[in-house]
């Protein structure tokens, strides 16, 4: 087991190196010049070049990349071009709403999707199954921002049950904190929940056709015991896999959701930085998001060895 974990840890290093390489050069090759934005619309060519020299953007790309990587290896993500604040500080100021939104979405989606998928597999080809699969198809097809605006219109504007936008920290009270996360969590979690429910159903259907499940039913074991202890346990590997894949959906969905609901998190910071061509912030955020994805995949890979010991070999 130790050797397996060490191999998986070393496998993450080239992944992060490739991500850093692509992030740096794609940002530099993309249209837009932060020096021109800082200098203003009426700035002369000489003024723009002066700003570029001050920011170090006039250096060769390879030299800029080496300087950035060297600082990165020392734990320095750089300084924002526009605010002159360290990227790590800006991210620390915005990380709480993003973590709260992601965790609340994850808990709600997983806790609802797995039971729904199990019930759909148990009642396969019946009304419950058709309703669940219809919800899964609709939920997976509907864009996050469309569902977000629908929820805002009904629950915030028409019925005035929940706030339209904004975020309340835990220090403001438990209910204001929860209230500010309900609509964004539902909007972000429906797609994720639909995906998990479909995979859970498919995996459970395959397991429920196995001989040992028939034997358990023939022995007269309770239905819940057969479904949870025998079937769900052996169907867990695909479910855990899709939960990990869904983390990528959450990361991309956070950017849209925080923008729609005006939540001051990392997603909103990403949008603002992209619009301003603030290279250090965009680079730092993408690296952090990629690192989270890599760590989640690593945890899932390691969990395989506990769920099915044959995988480690």
């Amino acid at each position: 087991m130790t050797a397996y974990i060490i191999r998986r840890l070393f496998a993450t290093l080239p992944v992060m190196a490739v991500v850093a390489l692509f992030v740096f050069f794609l940002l530099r090759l993309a249209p837009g010049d932060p020096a021109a934005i800082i200098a203003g619309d009426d700035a002369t060519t000489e003024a723009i070049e002066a700003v570029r020299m001050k920011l170090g953007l006039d250096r060769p790309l390879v030299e800029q990349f080496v300087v950035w990587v060297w600082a990165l290896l020392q734990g320095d993500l750089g300084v924002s071009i526009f605010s002159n604040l360290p990227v790590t500080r800006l991210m620390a100021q915005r990380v709480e709403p993003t973590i709260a939104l992601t965790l609340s979405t994850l808990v709600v989606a997983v806790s609802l999707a797995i039971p729904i998928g199990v019930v759909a597999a148990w009642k396969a080809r019946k009304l419950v199954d058709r309703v669940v699969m219809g919800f899964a198809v609709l939920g997976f097809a509907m864009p996050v921002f469309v569902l977000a605006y629908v929820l805002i219109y009904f629950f915030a504007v028409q019925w005035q049950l929940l706030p339209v936008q904004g975020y309340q920290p835990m220090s403001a009270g438990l209910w204001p904190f929860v209230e500010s996360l309900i609509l964004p969590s539902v909007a972000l979690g429906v797609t994720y929940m639909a995906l998990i429910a479909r995979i859970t159903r498919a995996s459970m259907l395959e397991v429920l056709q196995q001989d040992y499940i028939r034997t358990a039913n023939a022995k007269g074991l309770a239905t819940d015991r057969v479904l949870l202890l025998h079937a769900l346990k052996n169907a867990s590997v695909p479910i855990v896999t899709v939960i990990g894949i869904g983390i990528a959906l959450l990361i991309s969905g956070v950017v849209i959701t925080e923008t729609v609901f005006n939540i001051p998190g990392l997603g909103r910071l990403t949008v603002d930085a992209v619009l301003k061509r603030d290279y250090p912030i965009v680079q730092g955020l993408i690296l952090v998001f990629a690192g989270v994805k890599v760590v989640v995949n690593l945890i899932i890979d390691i969990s395989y060895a506990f769920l099915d010991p044959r995988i480690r070999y």
Side-chain angles (χ1 to χ4, degrees), residues 137-171:
V137 172
L138 180 62
F140 198 71
M142 182 175 292
V144 174
F145 70 91
V146 173
L147 180 59
Y149 284 123
V150 171
L151 293 174
I152 289 174
Y153 177 76
F154 284 104
F155 288 92
V157 177
Q158 289 293 322
W159 301 331
Q160 298 182 0
L161 298 175
L162 296 168
V164 176
Q165 58 184 4
Y167 170 77
Q168 295 294 330
M170 182 73 77
S171 58

PDB file of all heavy atoms in Angstrom, residues 137-171:
ATOM      1  N   VAL A 137     -31.630  13.554 -16.605  1.00  0.00           N
ATOM      2  CA  VAL A 137     -31.389  14.084 -17.945  1.00  0.00           C
ATOM      3  C   VAL A 137     -31.606  15.595 -17.969  1.00  0.00           C
ATOM      4  O   VAL A 137     -30.796  16.356 -18.521  1.00  0.00           O
ATOM      5  CB  VAL A 137     -32.294  13.379 -18.971  1.00  0.00           C
ATOM      6  CG1 VAL A 137     -32.191  14.069 -20.328  1.00  0.00           C
ATOM      7  CG2 VAL A 137     -31.924  11.912 -19.095  1.00  0.00           C
ATOM      8  N   LEU A 138     -32.705  16.050 -17.376  1.00  0.00           N
ATOM      9  CA  LEU A 138     -33.004  17.480 -17.357  1.00  0.00           C
ATOM     10  C   LEU A 138     -31.965  18.253 -16.557  1.00  0.00           C
ATOM     11  O   LEU A 138     -31.497  19.316 -16.978  1.00  0.00           O
ATOM     12  CB  LEU A 138     -34.397  17.712 -16.774  1.00  0.00           C
ATOM     13  CG  LEU A 138     -34.867  19.174 -16.691  1.00  0.00           C
ATOM     14  CD1 LEU A 138     -34.950  19.778 -18.089  1.00  0.00           C
ATOM     15  CD2 LEU A 138     -36.210  19.256 -15.984  1.00  0.00           C
ATOM     16  N   GLY A 139     -31.599  17.721 -15.390  1.00  0.00           N
ATOM     17  CA  GLY A 139     -30.633  18.411 -14.548  1.00  0.00           C
ATOM     18  C   GLY A 139     -29.261  18.501 -15.179  1.00  0.00           C
ATOM     19  O   GLY A 139     -28.567  19.524 -15.051  1.00  0.00           O
ATOM     20  N   PHE A 140     -28.851  17.447 -15.883  1.00  0.00           N
ATOM     21  CA  PHE A 140     -27.533  17.455 -16.505  1.00  0.00           C
ATOM     22  C   PHE A 140     -27.493  18.337 -17.742  1.00  0.00           C
ATOM     23  O   PHE A 140     -26.449  18.876 -18.111  1.00  0.00           O
ATOM     24  CB  PHE A 140     -27.121  16.030 -16.873  1.00  0.00           C
ATOM     25  CG  PHE A 140     -25.651  15.869 -17.123  1.00  0.00           C
ATOM     26  CD1 PHE A 140     -24.750  15.946 -16.081  1.00  0.00           C
ATOM     27  CD2 PHE A 140     -25.175  15.664 -18.406  1.00  0.00           C
ATOM     28  CE1 PHE A 140     -23.386  15.810 -16.317  1.00  0.00           C
ATOM     29  CE2 PHE A 140     -23.819  15.528 -18.646  1.00  0.00           C
ATOM     30  CZ  PHE A 140     -22.921  15.602 -17.599  1.00  0.00           C
ATOM     31  N   ALA A 141     -28.650  18.493 -18.409  1.00  0.00           N
ATOM     32  CA  ALA A 141     -28.694  19.289 -19.639  1.00  0.00           C
ATOM     33  C   ALA A 141     -28.854  20.775 -19.370  1.00  0.00           C
ATOM     34  O   ALA A 141     -28.444  21.600 -20.194  1.00  0.00           O
ATOM     35  CB  ALA A 141     -29.842  18.799 -20.524  1.00  0.00           C
ATOM     36  N   MET A 142     -29.435  21.140 -18.236  1.00  0.00           N
ATOM     37  CA  MET A 142     -29.715  22.561 -17.968  1.00  0.00           C
ATOM     38  C   MET A 142     -28.447  23.281 -17.500  1.00  0.00           C
ATOM     39  O   MET A 142     -27.794  22.852 -16.557  1.00  0.00           O
ATOM     40  CB  MET A 142     -30.800  22.694 -16.898  1.00  0.00           C
ATOM     41  CG  MET A 142     -31.171  24.140 -16.591  1.00  0.00           C
ATOM     42  SD  MET A 142     -32.560  24.272 -15.438  1.00  0.00           S
ATOM     43  CE  MET A 142     -33.886  23.633 -16.470  1.00  0.00           C
ATOM     44  N   PRO A 143     -28.085  24.386 -18.167  1.00  0.00           N
ATOM     45  CA  PRO A 143     -26.918  25.158 -17.728  1.00  0.00           C
ATOM     46  C   PRO A 143     -27.103  25.702 -16.310  1.00  0.00           C
ATOM     47  O   PRO A 143     -28.225  26.006 -15.895  1.00  0.00           O
ATOM     48  CB  PRO A 143     -26.837  26.293 -18.757  1.00  0.00           C
ATOM     49  CG  PRO A 143     -27.601  25.801 -19.940  1.00  0.00           C
ATOM     50  CD  PRO A 143     -28.685  24.928 -19.395  1.00  0.00           C
ATOM     51  N   VAL A 144     -26.000  25.842 -15.606  1.00  0.00           N
ATOM     52  CA  VAL A 144     -26.059  26.305 -14.224  1.00  0.00           C
ATOM     53  C   VAL A 144     -26.658  27.702 -14.133  1.00  0.00           C
ATOM     54  O   VAL A 144     -27.499  27.982 -13.268  1.00  0.00           O
ATOM     55  CB  VAL A 144     -24.641  26.280 -13.605  1.00  0.00           C
ATOM     56  CG1 VAL A 144     -24.670  26.904 -12.215  1.00  0.00           C
ATOM     57  CG2 VAL A 144     -24.116  24.861 -13.523  1.00  0.00           C
ATOM     58  N   PHE A 145     -26.251  28.606 -15.025  1.00  0.00           N
ATOM     59  CA  PHE A 145     -26.719  29.994 -14.910  1.00  0.00           C
ATOM     60  C   PHE A 145     -28.216  30.111 -15.206  1.00  0.00           C
ATOM     61  O   PHE A 145     -28.900  30.961 -14.640  1.00  0.00           O
ATOM     62  CB  PHE A 145     -25.908  30.908 -15.830  1.00  0.00           C
ATOM     63  CG  PHE A 145     -26.154  30.712 -17.295  1.00  0.00           C
ATOM     64  CD1 PHE A 145     -27.123  31.448 -17.943  1.00  0.00           C
ATOM     65  CD2 PHE A 145     -25.403  29.800 -18.023  1.00  0.00           C
ATOM     66  CE1 PHE A 145     -27.356  31.281 -19.302  1.00  0.00           C
ATOM     67  CE2 PHE A 145     -25.618  29.623 -19.374  1.00  0.00           C
ATOM     68  CZ  PHE A 145     -26.605  30.361 -20.018  1.00  0.00           C
ATOM     69  N   VAL A 146     -28.742  29.240 -16.082  1.00  0.00           N
ATOM     70  CA  VAL A 146     -30.184  29.264 -16.366  1.00  0.00           C
ATOM     71  C   VAL A 146     -30.974  28.861 -15.127  1.00  0.00           C
ATOM     72  O   VAL A 146     -31.932  29.538 -14.728  1.00  0.00           O
ATOM     73  CB  VAL A 146     -30.527  28.349 -17.551  1.00  0.00           C
ATOM     74  CG1 VAL A 146     -32.046  28.254 -17.733  1.00  0.00           C
ATOM     75  CG2 VAL A 146     -29.877  28.858 -18.824  1.00  0.00           C
ATOM     76  N   LEU A 147     -30.573  27.753 -14.506  1.00  0.00           N
ATOM     77  CA  LEU A 147     -31.244  27.310 -13.283  1.00  0.00           C
ATOM     78  C   LEU A 147     -31.096  28.342 -12.175  1.00  0.00           C
ATOM     79  O   LEU A 147     -32.034  28.573 -11.397  1.00  0.00           O
ATOM     80  CB  LEU A 147     -30.667  25.966 -12.841  1.00  0.00           C
ATOM     81  CG  LEU A 147     -31.261  25.360 -11.569  1.00  0.00           C
ATOM     82  CD1 LEU A 147     -32.761  25.142 -11.730  1.00  0.00           C
ATOM     83  CD2 LEU A 147     -30.561  24.055 -11.222  1.00  0.00           C
ATOM     84  N   ALA A 148     -29.940  28.982 -12.106  1.00  0.00           N
ATOM     85  CA  ALA A 148     -29.716  30.006 -11.077  1.00  0.00           C
ATOM     86  C   ALA A 148     -30.702  31.159 -11.228  1.00  0.00           C
ATOM     87  O   ALA A 148     -31.309  31.602 -10.238  1.00  0.00           O
ATOM     88  CB  ALA A 148     -28.278  30.516 -11.166  1.00  0.00           C
ATOM     89  N   TYR A 149     -30.904  31.630 -12.442  1.00  0.00           N
ATOM     90  CA  TYR A 149     -31.836  32.741 -12.655  1.00  0.00           C
ATOM     91  C   TYR A 149     -33.284  32.324 -12.406  1.00  0.00           C
ATOM     92  O   TYR A 149     -34.093  33.125 -11.921  1.00  0.00           O
ATOM     93  CB  TYR A 149     -31.675  33.298 -14.069  1.00  0.00           C
ATOM     94  CG  TYR A 149     -30.451  34.151 -14.243  1.00  0.00           C
ATOM     95  CD1 TYR A 149     -29.495  33.852 -15.215  1.00  0.00           C
ATOM     96  CD2 TYR A 149     -30.239  35.264 -13.433  1.00  0.00           C
ATOM     97  CE1 TYR A 149     -28.364  34.637 -15.369  1.00  0.00           C
ATOM     98  CE2 TYR A 149     -29.109  36.052 -13.579  1.00  0.00           C
ATOM     99  CZ  TYR A 149     -28.169  35.735 -14.546  1.00  0.00           C
ATOM    100  OH  TYR A 149     -27.050  36.509 -14.693  1.00  0.00           O
ATOM    101  N   VAL A 150     -33.617  31.074 -12.739  1.00  0.00           N
ATOM    102  CA  VAL A 150     -34.971  30.577 -12.457  1.00  0.00           C
ATOM    103  C   VAL A 150     -35.217  30.544 -10.948  1.00  0.00           C
ATOM    104  O   VAL A 150     -36.278  30.981 -10.458  1.00  0.00           O
ATOM    105  CB  VAL A 150     -35.162  29.178 -13.075  1.00  0.00           C
ATOM    106  CG1 VAL A 150     -36.479  28.554 -12.592  1.00  0.00           C
ATOM    107  CG2 VAL A 150     -35.165  29.256 -14.591  1.00  0.00           C
ATOM    108  N   LEU A 151     -34.249  30.037 -10.193  1.00  0.00           N
ATOM    109  CA  LEU A 151     -34.387  29.985  -8.739  1.00  0.00           C
ATOM    110  C   LEU A 151     -34.474  31.382  -8.142  1.00  0.00           C
ATOM    111  O   LEU A 151     -35.265  31.630  -7.220  1.00  0.00           O
ATOM    112  CB  LEU A 151     -33.203  29.226  -8.141  1.00  0.00           C
ATOM    113  CG  LEU A 151     -33.121  27.725  -8.465  1.00  0.00           C
ATOM    114  CD1 LEU A 151     -31.829  27.139  -7.921  1.00  0.00           C
ATOM    115  CD2 LEU A 151     -34.318  26.982  -7.897  1.00  0.00           C
ATOM    116  N   ILE A 152     -33.666  32.299  -8.647  1.00  0.00           N
ATOM    117  CA  ILE A 152     -33.707  33.681  -8.148  1.00  0.00           C
ATOM    118  C   ILE A 152     -35.074  34.296  -8.409  1.00  0.00           C
ATOM    119  O   ILE A 152     -35.652  34.969  -7.537  1.00  0.00           O
ATOM    120  CB  ILE A 152     -32.595  34.519  -8.808  1.00  0.00           C
ATOM    121  CG1 ILE A 152     -31.226  34.094  -8.275  1.00  0.00           C
ATOM    122  CG2 ILE A 152     -32.809  36.005  -8.553  1.00  0.00           C
ATOM    123  CD1 ILE A 152     -30.062  34.768  -8.985  1.00  0.00           C
ATOM    124  N   TYR A 153     -35.612  34.070  -9.605  1.00  0.00           N
ATOM    125  CA  TYR A 153     -36.892  34.681  -9.963  1.00  0.00           C
ATOM    126  C   TYR A 153     -38.008  34.218  -9.035  1.00  0.00           C
ATOM    127  O   TYR A 153     -38.797  35.039  -8.542  1.00  0.00           O
ATOM    128  CB  TYR A 153     -37.233  34.353 -11.409  1.00  0.00           C
ATOM    129  CG  TYR A 153     -38.580  34.897 -11.852  1.00  0.00           C
ATOM    130  CD1 TYR A 153     -38.737  36.249 -12.135  1.00  0.00           C
ATOM    131  CD2 TYR A 153     -39.683  34.058 -11.947  1.00  0.00           C
ATOM    132  CE1 TYR A 153     -39.972  36.751 -12.516  1.00  0.00           C
ATOM    133  CE2 TYR A 153     -40.923  34.555 -12.323  1.00  0.00           C
ATOM    134  CZ  TYR A 153     -41.069  35.899 -12.608  1.00  0.00           C
ATOM    135  OH  TYR A 153     -42.291  36.387 -12.974  1.00  0.00           O
ATOM    136  N   PHE A 154     -38.072  32.912  -8.789  1.00  0.00           N
ATOM    137  CA  PHE A 154     -39.186  32.390  -7.999  1.00  0.00           C
ATOM    138  C   PHE A 154     -38.956  32.557  -6.493  1.00  0.00           C
ATOM    139  O   PHE A 154     -39.798  33.106  -5.778  1.00  0.00           O
ATOM    140  CB  PHE A 154     -39.436  30.916  -8.322  1.00  0.00           C
ATOM    141  CG  PHE A 154     -40.131  30.707  -9.633  1.00  0.00           C
ATOM    142  CD1 PHE A 154     -39.424  30.272 -10.745  1.00  0.00           C
ATOM    143  CD2 PHE A 154     -41.483  30.959  -9.772  1.00  0.00           C
ATOM    144  CE1 PHE A 154     -40.057  30.079 -11.964  1.00  0.00           C
ATOM    145  CE2 PHE A 154     -42.132  30.778 -10.984  1.00  0.00           C
ATOM    146  CZ  PHE A 154     -41.416  30.339 -12.081  1.00  0.00           C
ATOM    147  N   PHE A 155     -37.824  32.092  -5.981  1.00  0.00           N
ATOM    148  CA  PHE A 155     -37.616  32.051  -4.533  1.00  0.00           C
ATOM    149  C   PHE A 155     -37.188  33.394  -3.945  1.00  0.00           C
ATOM    150  O   PHE A 155     -37.416  33.633  -2.758  1.00  0.00           O
ATOM    151  CB  PHE A 155     -36.570  30.984  -4.184  1.00  0.00           C
ATOM    152  CG  PHE A 155     -37.063  29.588  -4.338  1.00  0.00           C
ATOM    153  CD1 PHE A 155     -36.892  28.901  -5.532  1.00  0.00           C
ATOM    154  CD2 PHE A 155     -37.726  28.947  -3.300  1.00  0.00           C
ATOM    155  CE1 PHE A 155     -37.347  27.608  -5.682  1.00  0.00           C
ATOM    156  CE2 PHE A 155     -38.196  27.654  -3.442  1.00  0.00           C
ATOM    157  CZ  PHE A 155     -38.007  26.982  -4.639  1.00  0.00           C
ATOM    158  N   ALA A 156     -36.572  34.251  -4.744  1.00  0.00           N
ATOM    159  CA  ALA A 156     -36.096  35.528  -4.216  1.00  0.00           C
ATOM    160  C   ALA A 156     -36.971  36.698  -4.644  1.00  0.00           C
ATOM    161  O   ALA A 156     -37.325  37.548  -3.822  1.00  0.00           O
ATOM    162  CB  ALA A 156     -34.652  35.767  -4.656  1.00  0.00           C
ATOM    163  N   VAL A 157     -37.341  36.746  -5.916  1.00  0.00           N
ATOM    164  CA  VAL A 157     -38.096  37.896  -6.429  1.00  0.00           C
ATOM    165  C   VAL A 157     -39.594  37.734  -6.188  1.00  0.00           C
ATOM    166  O   VAL A 157     -40.251  38.627  -5.620  1.00  0.00           O
ATOM    167  CB  VAL A 157     -37.809  38.105  -7.926  1.00  0.00           C
ATOM    168  CG1 VAL A 157     -38.645  39.263  -8.475  1.00  0.00           C
ATOM    169  CG2 VAL A 157     -36.325  38.369  -8.155  1.00  0.00           C
ATOM    170  N   GLN A 158     -40.157  36.601  -6.621  1.00  0.00           N
ATOM    171  CA  GLN A 158     -41.599  36.412  -6.528  1.00  0.00           C
ATOM    172  C   GLN A 158     -42.058  36.104  -5.098  1.00  0.00           C
ATOM    173  O   GLN A 158     -42.967  36.744  -4.579  1.00  0.00           O
ATOM    174  CB  GLN A 158     -42.025  35.284  -7.479  1.00  0.00           C
ATOM    175  CG  GLN A 158     -41.944  35.659  -8.951  1.00  0.00           C
ATOM    176  CD  GLN A 158     -42.953  36.725  -9.336  1.00  0.00           C
ATOM    177  OE1 GLN A 158     -44.079  36.736  -8.854  1.00  0.00           O
ATOM    178  NE2 GLN A 158     -42.549  37.641 -10.209  1.00  0.00           N
ATOM    179  N   TRP A 159     -41.444  35.105  -4.485  1.00  0.00           N
ATOM    180  CA  TRP A 159     -41.897  34.652  -3.162  1.00  0.00           C
ATOM    181  C   TRP A 159     -41.114  35.288  -2.016  1.00  0.00           C
ATOM    182  O   TRP A 159     -41.538  35.191  -0.869  1.00  0.00           O
ATOM    183  CB  TRP A 159     -41.799  33.133  -3.077  1.00  0.00           C
ATOM    184  CG  TRP A 159     -42.618  32.445  -4.129  1.00  0.00           C
ATOM    185  CD1 TRP A 159     -43.754  32.903  -4.717  1.00  0.00           C
ATOM    186  CD2 TRP A 159     -42.343  31.172  -4.733  1.00  0.00           C
ATOM    187  NE1 TRP A 159     -44.223  32.002  -5.629  1.00  0.00           N
ATOM    188  CE2 TRP A 159     -43.387  30.920  -5.669  1.00  0.00           C
ATOM    189  CE3 TRP A 159     -41.353  30.208  -4.570  1.00  0.00           C
ATOM    190  CZ2 TRP A 159     -43.437  29.763  -6.436  1.00  0.00           C
ATOM    191  CZ3 TRP A 159     -41.402  29.048  -5.338  1.00  0.00           C
ATOM    192  CH2 TRP A 159     -42.427  28.829  -6.258  1.00  0.00           C
ATOM    193  N   GLN A 160     -39.976  35.883  -2.309  1.00  0.00           N
ATOM    194  CA  GLN A 160     -39.153  36.595  -1.313  1.00  0.00           C
ATOM    195  C   GLN A 160     -38.846  35.724  -0.083  1.00  0.00           C
ATOM    196  O   GLN A 160     -38.919  36.170   1.049  1.00  0.00           O
ATOM    197  CB  GLN A 160     -39.852  37.895  -0.885  1.00  0.00           C
ATOM    198  CG  GLN A 160     -40.066  38.873  -2.016  1.00  0.00           C
ATOM    199  CD  GLN A 160     -40.709  40.162  -1.585  1.00  0.00           C
ATOM    200  OE1 GLN A 160     -41.025  40.360  -0.402  1.00  0.00           O
ATOM    201  NE2 GLN A 160     -40.908  41.084  -2.516  1.00  0.00           N
ATOM    202  N   LEU A 161     -38.504  34.477  -0.353  1.00  0.00           N
ATOM    203  CA  LEU A 161     -38.161  33.551   0.724  1.00  0.00           C
ATOM    204  C   LEU A 161     -36.672  33.554   1.044  1.00  0.00           C
ATOM    205  O   LEU A 161     -36.289  33.283   2.182  1.00  0.00           O
ATOM    206  CB  LEU A 161     -38.598  32.125   0.342  1.00  0.00           C
ATOM    207  CG  LEU A 161     -40.102  31.918   0.119  1.00  0.00           C
ATOM    208  CD1 LEU A 161     -40.373  30.501  -0.368  1.00  0.00           C
ATOM    209  CD2 LEU A 161     -40.863  32.191   1.416  1.00  0.00           C
ATOM    210  N   LEU A 162     -35.856  33.854   0.038  1.00  0.00           N
ATOM    211  CA  LEU A 162     -34.407  33.790   0.199  1.00  0.00           C
ATOM    212  C   LEU A 162     -33.775  35.036  -0.412  1.00  0.00           C
ATOM    213  O   LEU A 162     -34.379  35.684  -1.270  1.00  0.00           O
ATOM    214  CB  LEU A 162     -33.854  32.534  -0.477  1.00  0.00           C
ATOM    215  CG  LEU A 162     -34.318  31.194   0.116  1.00  0.00           C
ATOM    216  CD1 LEU A 162     -33.944  30.046  -0.804  1.00  0.00           C
ATOM    217  CD2 LEU A 162     -33.722  30.988   1.506  1.00  0.00           C
ATOM    218  N   PRO A 163     -32.565  35.384   0.005  1.00  0.00           N
ATOM    219  CA  PRO A 163     -31.907  36.568  -0.566  1.00  0.00           C
ATOM    220  C   PRO A 163     -31.551  36.367  -2.030  1.00  0.00           C
ATOM    221  O   PRO A 163     -31.261  35.250  -2.469  1.00  0.00           O
ATOM    222  CB  PRO A 163     -30.647  36.720   0.302  1.00  0.00           C
ATOM    223  CG  PRO A 163     -30.410  35.366   0.886  1.00  0.00           C
ATOM    224  CD  PRO A 163     -31.756  34.754   1.077  1.00  0.00           C
ATOM    225  N   VAL A 164     -31.575  37.460  -2.774  1.00  0.00           N
ATOM    226  CA  VAL A 164     -31.273  37.395  -4.204  1.00  0.00           C
ATOM    227  C   VAL A 164     -29.813  37.052  -4.438  1.00  0.00           C
ATOM    228  O   VAL A 164     -29.476  36.208  -5.262  1.00  0.00           O
ATOM    229  CB  VAL A 164     -31.621  38.742  -4.878  1.00  0.00           C
ATOM    230  CG1 VAL A 164     -31.217  38.720  -6.353  1.00  0.00           C
ATOM    231  CG2 VAL A 164     -33.096  39.033  -4.735  1.00  0.00           C
ATOM    232  N   GLN A 165     -28.919  37.699  -3.710  1.00  0.00           N
ATOM    233  CA  GLN A 165     -27.496  37.490  -3.924  1.00  0.00           C
ATOM    234  C   GLN A 165     -26.738  37.862  -2.655  1.00  0.00           C
ATOM    235  O   GLN A 165     -27.328  38.292  -1.667  1.00  0.00           O
ATOM    236  CB  GLN A 165     -27.002  38.323  -5.098  1.00  0.00           C
ATOM    237  CG  GLN A 165     -27.243  39.813  -4.928  1.00  0.00           C
ATOM    238  CD  GLN A 165     -26.830  40.607  -6.145  1.00  0.00           C
ATOM    239  OE1 GLN A 165     -26.434  40.060  -7.151  1.00  0.00           O
ATOM    240  NE2 GLN A 165     -26.920  41.926  -6.044  1.00  0.00           N
ATOM    241  N   GLY A 166     -25.423  37.679  -2.712  1.00  0.00           N
ATOM    242  CA  GLY A 166     -24.579  38.015  -1.570  1.00  0.00           C
ATOM    243  C   GLY A 166     -24.194  36.795  -0.759  1.00  0.00           C
ATOM    244  O   GLY A 166     -24.672  35.681  -0.996  1.00  0.00           O
ATOM    245  N   TYR A 167     -23.310  37.024   0.198  1.00  0.00           N
ATOM    246  CA  TYR A 167     -22.811  35.950   1.067  1.00  0.00           C
ATOM    247  C   TYR A 167     -22.662  36.470   2.479  1.00  0.00           C
ATOM    248  O   TYR A 167     -22.189  37.589   2.693  1.00  0.00           O
ATOM    249  CB  TYR A 167     -21.464  35.442   0.549  1.00  0.00           C
ATOM    250  CG  TYR A 167     -20.760  34.504   1.509  1.00  0.00           C
ATOM    251  CD1 TYR A 167     -21.162  33.187   1.632  1.00  0.00           C
ATOM    252  CD2 TYR A 167     -19.698  34.961   2.293  1.00  0.00           C
ATOM    253  CE1 TYR A 167     -20.523  32.327   2.515  1.00  0.00           C
ATOM    254  CE2 TYR A 167     -19.054  34.108   3.171  1.00  0.00           C
ATOM    255  CZ  TYR A 167     -19.471  32.798   3.285  1.00  0.00           C
ATOM    256  OH  TYR A 167     -18.846  31.950   4.167  1.00  0.00           O
ATOM    257  N   GLN A 168     -23.121  35.667   3.431  1.00  0.00           N
ATOM    258  CA  GLN A 168     -22.979  35.990   4.840  1.00  0.00           C
ATOM    259  C   GLN A 168     -22.041  34.982   5.500  1.00  0.00           C
ATOM    260  O   GLN A 168     -22.287  33.778   5.429  1.00  0.00           O
ATOM    261  CB  GLN A 168     -24.342  35.948   5.541  1.00  0.00           C
ATOM    262  CG  GLN A 168     -25.328  36.993   5.060  1.00  0.00           C
ATOM    263  CD  GLN A 168     -24.882  38.401   5.397  1.00  0.00           C
ATOM    264  OE1 GLN A 168     -24.201  38.621   6.411  1.00  0.00           O
ATOM    265  NE2 GLN A 168     -25.259  39.355   4.552  1.00  0.00           N
ATOM    266  N   PRO A 169     -20.958  35.433   6.130  1.00  0.00           N
ATOM    267  CA  PRO A 169     -20.040  34.493   6.779  1.00  0.00           C
ATOM    268  C   PRO A 169     -20.672  33.855   8.010  1.00  0.00           C
ATOM    269  O   PRO A 169     -21.706  34.311   8.518  1.00  0.00           O
ATOM    270  CB  PRO A 169     -18.844  35.375   7.158  1.00  0.00           C
ATOM    271  CG  PRO A 169     -19.421  36.745   7.286  1.00  0.00           C
ATOM    272  CD  PRO A 169     -20.523  36.828   6.272  1.00  0.00           C
ATOM    273  N   MET A 170     -20.049  32.816   8.486  1.00  0.00           N
ATOM    274  CA  MET A 170     -20.539  32.109   9.664  1.00  0.00           C
ATOM    275  C   MET A 170     -20.610  33.025  10.877  1.00  0.00           C
ATOM    276  O   MET A 170     -21.482  32.850  11.745  1.00  0.00           O
ATOM    277  CB  MET A 170     -19.635  30.918   9.961  1.00  0.00           C
ATOM    278  CG  MET A 170     -20.067  30.068  11.137  1.00  0.00           C
ATOM    279  SD  MET A 170     -21.526  29.055  10.806  1.00  0.00           S
ATOM    280  CE  MET A 170     -20.774  27.763   9.820  1.00  0.00           C
ATOM    281  N   SER A 171     -19.728  34.013  10.930  1.00  0.00           N
ATOM    282  CA  SER A 171     -19.716  34.935  12.068  1.00  0.00           C
ATOM    283  C   SER A 171     -20.977  35.787  12.144  1.00  0.00           C
ATOM    284  O   SER A 171     -21.302  36.338  13.190  1.00  0.00           O
ATOM    285  CB  SER A 171     -18.489  35.850  11.981  1.00  0.00           C
ATOM    286  OG  SER A 171     -18.496  36.581  10.762  1.00  0.00           O
TER     287      SER A 171
END
